[in-house]
Amino acid sequence: MRETVCAQLVEQVTDYLEGALSPEGLRSLEEHLTSCVSCENYINQVRTVIRLSARPGEAARTELDETVLQMFRSRKAVQDSHDDRAVEGEG
Amino acid sequence: MMIEPSKVRDEPDLAALRSGSEIEFYRLVSSNQSLMLRLAMIYCPSRAVAEEAVQEAWVAVIRGLDGFREQATLRTWICRILINAAHRLSGRESRSLPFSALDSSPDDQLPAVDPDRFIQSGPWAGHWSSPISDWIRLPEAALLSGKLHDIVKAAIADLPESQRLVITLRDVEGCSTSEVYEILDIHDGHQRVLLHRARSRVRAVVEEHLSTDVD
């Protein structure tokens, strides 16, 4: 297998980080990394971007509409009345 | 070894939900609302419509709780309901599979890095023409500043829809590959292509910002 060069590595970085490279591909990429600081930095830049993307709670939660909660409650009320009838039926 | 966030996340107690536990319902809402809104905003023309889609999805979820089959996780089931609501409210034609529209955009074929950044010919062809900087050496403040988060957020918002969906689910919300498959019906390979393009683009935007700002 030919040695990985930088222009190829930048197209393989996601497969690398996702663990989707073939064993030979992985070996070739890691061998390249041992001698290329720029590519090592590049991969770390992508890792930084992934970290920066994950910002929990950013979208500002919308409050749950009261009608939705009412619906959830009334669903339970309907269920309870069914249950009551079932119990009465048994009695 | 990375732990997939979905493995850590608590699955809601379905039996408690079905029997009407409000606490469980609040948990369900608080663990899914942010993802739902983010997803809805990808499809809807405005935040107001996106919020309406979220509300509508909750109504459908409450109605469908008893019929929910546990082949999917609750989360992916809710997301699919949400996407259908968002499609309908934003006037898109409804599709049985929400993502038949995930055709590749011409943008998906672009290289991860501008080819001019590499030496074009000679024995060093394909190697960087100038070194790539080490962001680890940046002042921590630069990396942690809200500004960089805002730049990433804006870069994600500028991506083509299919890339935006995948990076939002995977990197912003921490969904696993299999969850994304259940929600969007996109297989691993295609997901990786979209994710690759999206991350590459966002990295380039951040790099551009840092080269003009931090020097």
Side-chain angles (χ1 to χ4, degrees), chain B residues 40-99:
Chain B
M41 284 178 65
I42 295 176
Y43 292 102
C44 297
S46 69
R47 171 141 186 152
V49 177
E51 288 180 1
E52 200 185 334
V54 172
Q55 300 292 351
E56 193 172 290
W58 281 121
V59 170
V61 166
I62 293 168
R63 289 207 177 111
L65 263 183
D66 288 327
F68 167 69
R69 283 172 297 162
E70 295 171 55
Q71 291 153 336
T73 63
L74 258 176
R75 181 179 169 95
T76 59
W77 176 65
I78 290 170
C79 285
R80 293 190 70 117
I81 290 175
L82 181 268
I83 288 166
N84 283 330
H87 267 290
R88 220 174 39 69
L89 287 174
S90 51
R92 297 179 178 218
E93 59 184 284
S94 64
R95 303 173 180 99
S96 53
L97 288 178
F99 293 90

Side-chain angles (χ1 to χ4, degrees), chain B residues 175-196:
Chain B
C175 293
S176 68
T177 311
S178 57
E179 279 181 304
V180 176
Y181 171 63
E182 281 179 33
I183 297 169
L184 301 183
D185 259 322
I186 312 177
H187 281 283
D188 297 13
H190 192 190
Q191 270 186 48
R192 275 199 306 279
V193 170
L194 295 169
L195 188 60
H196 178 65

Side-chain angles (χ1 to χ4, degrees), chain A residues 31-78:
Chain A
E31 198 182 312
H32 177 78
L33 282 179
T34 59
S35 62
C36 184
V37 176
S38 278
C39 280
E40 194 187 341
N41 288 345
Y42 183 89
I43 291 180
N44 284 328
Q45 289 186 356
V46 175
R47 288 194 173 107
T48 301
V49 162
I50 297 169
R51 272 210 326 274
L52 286 168
S53 301
R55 196 183 199 191
E58 251 275 299
R61 310 182 183 291
T62 42
E63 287 306 309
L64 189 59
D65 196 283
E66 186 61 24
T67 54
V68 172
L69 192 58
Q70 283 303 333
M71 245 194 102
F72 185 74
R73 287 187 183 128
S74 60
R75 178 184 170 278
K76 178 168 163 46
V78 170

